[in-house]
């Protein structure tokens, strides 16, 4: 592995017991997808070698760990976090870990965040864009944001199905469109409810180039100015959204990342594979597309840029 290998902030794992728990809750086709992927450490490392990925930060994808039973969600969060921490310990140069939290259970999430960050050594936490219909600006979540802001935590925000997804998705898998819209929706909620302004030390990562945010940021600012939204003395919507981190999982070129660059710049752009929900061959094709895209500068490749950005994100002085 070369020193300039990609750093993948959007990488997933599943375990047999996690999938069994989801299926027991009736989630045979999560988010309208045909079924569950398979995953193993060996498969993941093989994909990384083929793709030139130096390190992957593992997280549980949608639908998260809360399937309706609060105590079961706490137990499942602890189980998957202990598993991922063990993988990280066995392969410290190849894997990091964003811990799952049992939201919308705030008390349980505070306890699990403390255990994951202080005991297991997680690199951050992973949340969904909404938790049983509660978006991330919801006042109920404020104690969690206070704690994560105090810690300067990396918070990886993964999209999930919105409320009434069956009606909205028109029978299509929700990751195709609804995931991108739900990322946009929860980011706007964080912005307009003032969470971003109140908690500037949280290092938020949004996925898939920020969804529709690059196209809608100016429109959001227009409404913020006309109707109010968030603290009156807060920076503009574009300024606040430019302070977030974005990964390029999905179809970054030829159109999505240039749109993100025009809106927010690429100083906080990160690489994401979306493996294992994205098959290995599709990851390889995406890496090839990234490699063949026009470079962001005369001296940087997209690989150089995203790897340098990731090292800055996880550096101690970024807190």
């Amino acid at each position: 592995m070369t020193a300039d290998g990609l750093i993948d902030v959007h990488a997933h794992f599943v375990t047999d017991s996690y999938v069994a728990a989801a299926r027991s809750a009736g989630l045979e086709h999560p988010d309208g997808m045909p079924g569950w992927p398979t995953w193993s450490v060996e498969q993941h490392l093989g994909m990384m070698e083929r793709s030139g990925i130096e390190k992957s930060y593992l997280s549980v994808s949608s639908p998260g760990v809360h399937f309706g039973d609060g105590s079961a969600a706490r137990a499942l969060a602890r189980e998957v976090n202990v598993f991922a921490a063990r993988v990280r310990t066995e392969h410290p140069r190849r894997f990091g870990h964003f811990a799952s939290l049992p939201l919308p259970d705030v008390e349980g999430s505070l306890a699990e965040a403390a255990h994951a960050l202080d005991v297991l050594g997680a690199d951050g936490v992973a949340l969904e864009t909404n938790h049983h219909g509660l978006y991330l600006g919801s006042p109920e979540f404020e104690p969690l944001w206070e704690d994560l802001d105090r810690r300067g935590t990396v918070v990886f925000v993964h999209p999930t199905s919105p409320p009434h997804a069956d009606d909205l998705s028109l029978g299509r898998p929700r990751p195709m469109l609804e995931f991108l819209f739900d990322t946009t929706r929860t980011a706007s909620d964080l912005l307009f409810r003032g969470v971003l302004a109140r908690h500037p030390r949280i290092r938020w990562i949004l996925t898939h180039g920020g969804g529709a945010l690059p196209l809608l940021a100016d429109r959001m600012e227009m409404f913020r100015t006309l109707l109010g939204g968030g603290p009156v003395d807060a920076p503009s919507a574009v300024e606040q959204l430019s302070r977030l981190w974005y990964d390029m999982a999905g179809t970054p070129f030829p159109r999505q990342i240039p749109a993100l660059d025009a809106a927010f710049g690429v100083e906080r752009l990160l690489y994401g594979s979306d493996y294992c929900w994205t098959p290995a061959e599709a990851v390889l094709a995406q890496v090839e597309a990234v490699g063949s895209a026009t470079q962001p500068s005369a001296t940087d490749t997209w690989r150089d840029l995203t790897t340098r950005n990731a090292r800055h994100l996880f550096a101690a002085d970024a807190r």
Side-chain angles (χ1 to χ4, degrees), residues 18 34 51 59-60 72 84 101 103 138 156 176 199 220 223 240-241 251 279:
Y18 170 76
S51 305
S59 61
V60 169
L101 303 183
L103 283 177
S138 298
F156 177 76
M176 183 175 74
H199 303 297
M220 290 164 58
F223 275 81
Q240 292 187 64
L241 295 172
T251 53

Side-chain angles (χ1 to χ4, degrees), residues 201-213:
R201 298 185 72 246
I202 294 177
R203 291 171 281 166
W204 306 92
I205 302 175
L206 301 183
T207 63
H208 305 291
L213 281 173

Side-chain angles (χ1 to χ4, degrees), residues 6 9-10 206-209 246-253 256-257 269-273 286 290 302-303 305-306:
L6 290 164
V9 301
H10 188 156
L206 301 183
T207 63
H208 305 291
Y246 298 89
D247 78 40
M248 59 165 64
T251 53
F253 296 102
Q256 189 174 30
I257 295 308
L269 178 66
L270 306 164
Y271 172 73
S273 72
Q286 188 238 37
V290 171
W302 291 106
R303 178 186 295 266
L305 175 73
T306 59

Side-chain angles (χ1 to χ4, degrees), residues 39-310:
W39 182 89
S40 72
V41 171
E42 294 73 24
Q43 289 173 333
H44 203 133
L45 287 171
M47 182 280 297
M48 291 168 67
E49 289 295 334
R50 295 173 66 195
S51 305
I53 296 172
E54 177 183 340
K55 188 169 186 175
S56 293
Y57 287 83
L58 299 173
S59 61
V60 169
S61 184
S62 176
V65 296
H66 200 304
F67 306 138
D69 182 314
S71 60
R74 292 187 182 193
L76 186 56
R78 180 61 56 87
E79 178 184 315
V80 297
N81 290 340
V82 168
F83 175 87
R86 184 167 64 249
V87 172
R88 181 179 184 266
T89 298
E90 292 172 353
H91 305 274
R93 298 182 61 186
R94 307 310 304 275
F95 290 113
H97 171 225
F98 298 145
S100 294
L101 303 183
L103 283 177
D105 173 5
V106 174
E107 182 180 349
S109 294
L110 284 165
E112 188 58 31
H115 186 268
L117 296 168
D118 297 339
V119 178
L120 298 180
D123 298 284
V125 300
L127 311 175
E128 310 298 315
T129 46
N130 80 82
H131 292 267
H132 294 255
L134 287 175
Y135 283 86
L136 298 186
S138 298
E140 293 93 327
F141 296 156
E142 187 65 16
L144 180 61
W145 308 148
E146 291 175 355
D147 183 65
L148 298 180
D149 183 74
R150 175 181 61 81
R151 294 172 175 274
T153 306
V154 173
V155 177
F156 177 76
V157 180
H158 194 277
T160 191
S161 295
H164 310 292
D166 289 340
D167 298 324
L168 293 171
S169 61
L170 306 177
R172 299 179 179 93
R174 292 122 196 202
M176 183 175 74
L177 297 178
E178 301 311 322
F179 273 24
L180 304 186
F181 296 147
D182 219 54
T183 291
T184 305
R185 187 173 294 113
T186 210
S188 70
D189 201 38
L190 289 167
L191 173 75
F192 284 108
R193 291 184 187 256
V195 176
L196 299 180
R198 286 195 303 277
H199 303 297
R201 298 185 72 246
I202 294 177
R203 291 171 281 166
W204 306 92
I205 302 175
L206 301 183
T207 63
H208 305 291
L213 281 173
L215 301 182
L216 297 179
D218 292 324
R219 186 173 180 84
M220 290 164 58
E221 176 60 15
M222 179 182 71
F223 275 81
R224 190 185 77 93
T225 302
L226 291 175
L227 303 178
V232 295
D233 58 346
S236 72
V238 172
E239 289 178 273
Q240 292 187 64
L241 295 172
S242 297
R243 296 173 184 174
L244 309 183
W245 299 79
Y246 298 89
D247 78 40
M248 59 165 64
T251 53
F253 296 102
R255 282 167 281 275
Q256 189 174 30
I257 295 308
L260 178 76
D261 186 11
F264 309 133
V266 291
E267 292 77 13
R268 297 194 171 196
L269 178 66
L270 306 164
Y271 172 73
S273 72
D274 210 356
Y275 184 80
C276 58
W277 284 93
T278 295
E281 294 305 319
V283 172
L284 289 168
Q286 188 238 37
V287 168
E288 290 179 6
V290 171
S292 62
T294 302
Q295 293 188 183
S297 71
T299 56
D300 264 337
T301 65
W302 291 106
R303 178 186 295 266
D304 296 332
L305 175 73
T306 59
T307 297
R308 185 172 65 248
N309 289 348

